[in-house]
Amino acid sequence: MLARNRFLLLVVVGGAALAIISLSLQFLNLIPTTPIVEERPFQAIDGGLGLVLGKSRKRVFPVPHTQEPNPISEAYGYCNTPNRTEQAWEGHSPADYKLLSVQVMIRHGDRYPLYSIPKTKRPAIDCTLSTNRSPSHPLLNSFISHMAQGGRGHWESPLGSVPRLPNHNVCEMGELTQTGVVQHLRNGQLLHQAYKRHNLLPSSWSPRQLWVETTGKSRTLQSGLAFLYGFLPDFDWTKLTVRHQWSTLFCGSACDCPARNRYLEEEQRRQYRLRVADTELERTYVDMARTLGMLTRQLRAANPIDSLLCHLCHGLSFPCIPMGDSGTGGCLTMSQFAVIRRQQLDDEVDRRRVGLYHKYAILAMYPYLNRTAAKMERVAKSSEAGRQPRAGGEEVFTLSSAHDVTMAPLLSALGLEEARFPRFAARVVFELWKSPTTTQGQLKKRAGKGDKSKAKDGEVFIRVLYNGEDVTFHTTFCRSHDRHASQPLCPLKNFLSFVRRDMFSVVNATSYQGACYRRPG
């Protein structure tokens, strides 16, 4: 009996040791560990699949607590490694509602760093595409074949000369990786499944029904194409026109705004002051620079966090240099990385507290939001009873392939200040819905029950989703709307009023022109 107990004790101790070793290996070798996504059941509304209202949105908005967020786990979330099943809320509404249009902004997928750390080897990542390399996707092979036929598409200058696939054995700076392509093939396929039952874009879609725009960077163009290939029921180059946005703010012809630039300059000064006052951050940069045998200011200018994030996301060891005669040398460490990430998280909190970035964001994203509102209003009017449908249909799907410097101000302008910083392949979705028309029989039935519903027949509503989560009632324009009303969606008129007037109250103005050109002070 004693021998048996000793054996059981050894098994327990051995198991605990293996668990500790496993955790240590994850820490030392940077093996990504992704939490399991919470699966949420749908509930039936009037016999159809509807929204489960009032659910927590923990993945998008962290639950307030006294313990500070873990910089390492936050960084893994930013990587968005495509190794888990996602739950998407796009396409869900109360029964019998009609989906009129969808507008999507995506951030490009995983990319190679934009900066290199001096004196270190660049991360060894292959930027060609191969189905034999992870992560992969069932659509990857046919996607590669279709991109070779891209000459049949219509391209606004200068997009025609931008490569349609990442194609370097050793990635170039800022180049989209295979991970980035797979992220957006998944995104597109996810939304294809979400909207398939609504017949938003049938297989016979016309060129007029689809609007695609991107900046001139290869990573945004390629991300947009991967998304579209996963999304479209029939990817037809001859019907596809890809439009160029020269500004990362997607502001088109309305980019001139002196006040916006002033707010950005003030925000950058705030950021600099906070960084300089962080003594732990300063000590960390000094230690890193000593290891690499370089000046601290030279290291800081190289923005090492960009390269270190790439190492983390791809499971690569942090950079090392050989030990020199002067005593310099060694490896950059996870604890140093954590300090820089911690300071970035602190900066996000201070940014929200001060509010300069929010003012910048309002003016930066007004042109994009105004175009979004105008498209929604146009589609809503075309859906009115008695309207003659336009030849070729209305523009029902818009894709804007952008950057973090586009999506971050968009989230802030919408009032989603608590949303996490845009991860690789993040998406913001605007959906336009129309309530069903009440029949005479339903009217009599409601009258008999004393129904006091204030909703009008055929009223139009907006939903906003961020990375698959419904964040409509976190937005500025719908935060005060009664989500328990008979209509569990946000009226479009709230959004239109916000974009055309209310959003400018933050900068003491009533219009974009007035806000941009008013004198400071």
Side-chain angles (χ1 to χ4, degrees):
M1 185 68 179
L2 183 61
R4 182 172 178 271
N5 288 341
R6 284 177 178 171
F7 173 76
L8 290 174
L9 180 63
L10 284 171
V11 169
V12 171
V13 172
L18 281 173
I20 293 169
I21 291 169
S22 174
L23 287 172
S24 301
L25 286 173
Q26 287 177 358
F27 181 80
L28 292 172
N29 296 317
L30 312 178
I31 300 171
T33 52
T34 314
I36 297 172
V37 176
E38 177 188 357
E39 294 292 333
R40 301 176 190 164
F42 294 126
Q43 73 179 25
I45 300 179
D46 294 336
L49 285 175
L51 296 169
V52 184
L53 301 176
K55 289 287 183 182
S56 66
R57 299 175 171 89
K58 295 181 183 179
R59 285 187 294 147
V60 176
F61 297 98
V63 177
H65 49 67
T66 53
Q67 185 180 0
E68 292 187 4
N70 184 311
I72 306 301
S73 61
E74 290 278 342
Y76 280 128
Y78 175 86
C79 297
N80 190 21
T81 306
N83 59 0
R84 58 179 170 79
T85 303
E86 257 195 277
Q87 175 66 66
W89 285 90
E90 286 95 341
H92 292 281
S93 75
D96 300 326
Y97 275 55
K98 180 176 175 55
L99 182 63
L100 299 180
S101 74
V102 173
Q103 299 185 58
V104 181
M105 177 181 282
I106 58 173
R107 185 195 173 189
H108 60 74
D110 177 83
R111 59 156 172 79
Y112 200 72
L114 297 171
Y115 304 88
S116 60
I117 302 176
K119 299 189 177 184
T120 66
K121 289 183 179 180
R122 290 170 50 186
I125 298 174
D126 187 343
C127 271
T128 58
L129 302 182
S130 170
T131 54
N132 298 321
R133 191 169 65 245
S134 292
S136 191
H137 191 278
L139 291 177
L140 183 59
N141 202 37
S142 59
F143 170 70
I144 295 169
S145 299
H146 268 75
M147 291 307 104
Q149 304 166 29
R152 297 161 57 197
H154 307 283
W155 306 88
E156 273 192 5
S157 178
L159 298 178
S161 59
V162 178
R164 292 179 284 277
L165 291 174
N167 57 7
H168 294 92
N169 290 327
V170 178
C171 295
E172 293 193 339
M173 306 305 281
E175 188 170 10
L176 194 71
T177 65
Q178 176 158 317
T179 300
V181 170
V182 169
Q183 285 168 334
H184 278 302
L185 286 173
R186 285 167 57 103
N187 264 348
Q189 197 171 49
L190 198 67
L191 293 200
H192 171 76
Q193 294 298 327
Y195 297 130
K196 185 169 60 175
R197 67 189 180 93
H198 298 286
N199 204 33
L200 180 70
L201 271 178
S203 57
S204 59
W205 60 274
S206 74
R208 188 189 287 277
Q209 292 177 296
L210 179 70
W211 178 279
V212 182
E213 58 186 3
T214 175
T215 62
K217 297 295 184 183
S218 62
R219 59 185 176 273
T220 49
L221 174 66
Q222 293 162 7
S223 293
L225 292 174
F227 181 99
L228 282 176
Y229 193 75
F231 175 74
L232 289 174
D234 176 37
F235 192 94
D236 186 343
W237 277 116
T238 63
K239 295 193 287 187
L240 187 63
T241 297
V242 185
R243 295 166 176 87
H244 178 237
Q245 278 284 351
W246 67 272
S247 168
T248 56
L249 296 180
F250 283 62
C251 46
S253 60
C255 289
D256 185 41
C257 184
R260 179 197 68 218
N261 300 337
R262 287 197 299 271
Y263 285 128
L264 182 59
E265 289 167 4
E266 290 178 40
E267 162 62 17
Q268 288 169 338
R269 284 195 289 270
R270 176 210 62 79
Q271 194 176 53
Y272 174 75
R273 287 193 297 269
L274 187 71
R275 202 163 52 235
V276 168
D278 194 317
T279 53
E280 185 186 28
L281 179 70
E282 181 61 25
R283 285 197 305 270
T284 298
Y285 272 123
V286 170
D287 289 344
M288 292 170 71
R290 186 184 299 116
T291 298
L292 300 175
M294 59 193 300
L295 297 175
T296 305
R297 65 173 181 271
Q298 186 183 2
L299 173 66
R300 203 183 272 112
N303 194 15
I305 191 66
D306 189 47
S307 181
L308 294 178
L309 273 168
C310 180
H311 283 80
L312 183 87
C313 294
H314 288 265
L316 303 174
S317 299
F318 282 167
C320 301
I321 62 170
M323 295 295 291
D325 297 334
S326 60
T328 61
C331 301
L332 301 184
T333 67
M334 182 70 88
S335 59
Q336 292 167 338
F337 171 83
V339 170
I340 303 176
R341 282 295 294 173
R342 187 270 307 157
Q343 197 279 329
Q344 289 183 322
L345 296 174
D346 290 348
D347 179 73
E348 288 183 24
V349 173
D350 192 63
R351 184 182 73 186
R352 291 193 293 267
R353 179 187 65 80
V354 174
L356 286 168
Y357 185 82
H358 181 55
K359 293 179 179 179
Y360 159 75
I362 288 288
L363 300 182
M365 294 316 297
Y366 165 77
Y368 172 81
L369 286 171
N370 188 47
R371 283 195 300 131
T372 300
K375 288 182 179 185
M376 286 187 164
E377 190 173 40
R378 190 161 59 244
V379 171
K381 285 181 178 177
S382 72
S383 73
E384 293 173 358
R387 285 265 184 172
Q388 186 69 28
R390 191 160 61 152
E394 291 293 333
E395 183 186 306
V396 294
F397 187 82
T398 297
L399 177 66
S400 304
S401 189
H403 305 260
D404 56 354
V405 293
T406 322
M407 192 169 284
L410 175 61
L411 294 168
S412 179
L414 291 171
L416 302 172
E417 294 284 349
E418 299 297 325
R420 298 192 188 281
F421 187 81
R423 67 193 189 188
F424 284 132
R427 65 183 187 272
V428 175
V429 176
F430 298 88
E431 295 178 345
L432 182 66
W433 293 88
K434 187 174 185 178
S435 62
T437 303
T438 308
T439 65
Q440 288 298 318
Q442 287 172 321
L443 281 171
K444 288 178 181 178
K445 189 176 179 181
R446 287 185 180 182
K449 289 184 177 180
D451 189 352
K452 297 180 180 179
S453 171
K454 296 179 181 178
K456 300 175 183 176
D457 285 353
E459 194 173 354
V460 285
F461 300 89
I462 184 175
R463 283 181 75 213
V464 183
L465 301 103
Y466 181 45
N467 294 334
E469 296 282 344
D470 186 342
V471 295
T472 310
F473 293 106
H474 291 285
T475 61
T476 302
F477 61 87
C478 238
R479 201 171 290 145
S480 60
H481 183 71
D482 183 9
R483 71 180 72 189
H484 302 295
S486 59
Q487 296 293 342
L489 298 179
C490 181
L492 177 63
K493 61 186 179 185
N494 287 30
F495 180 59
L496 298 180
S497 297
F498 170 73
V499 171
R500 289 164 184 174
R501 184 187 64 250
D502 301 344
M503 66 188 293
F504 301 111
S505 63
V506 175
V507 290
N508 298 318
T510 57
S511 70
Y512 182 61
Q513 290 295 319
C516 285
Y517 292 99
R518 67 191 299 265
R519 295 179 181 275

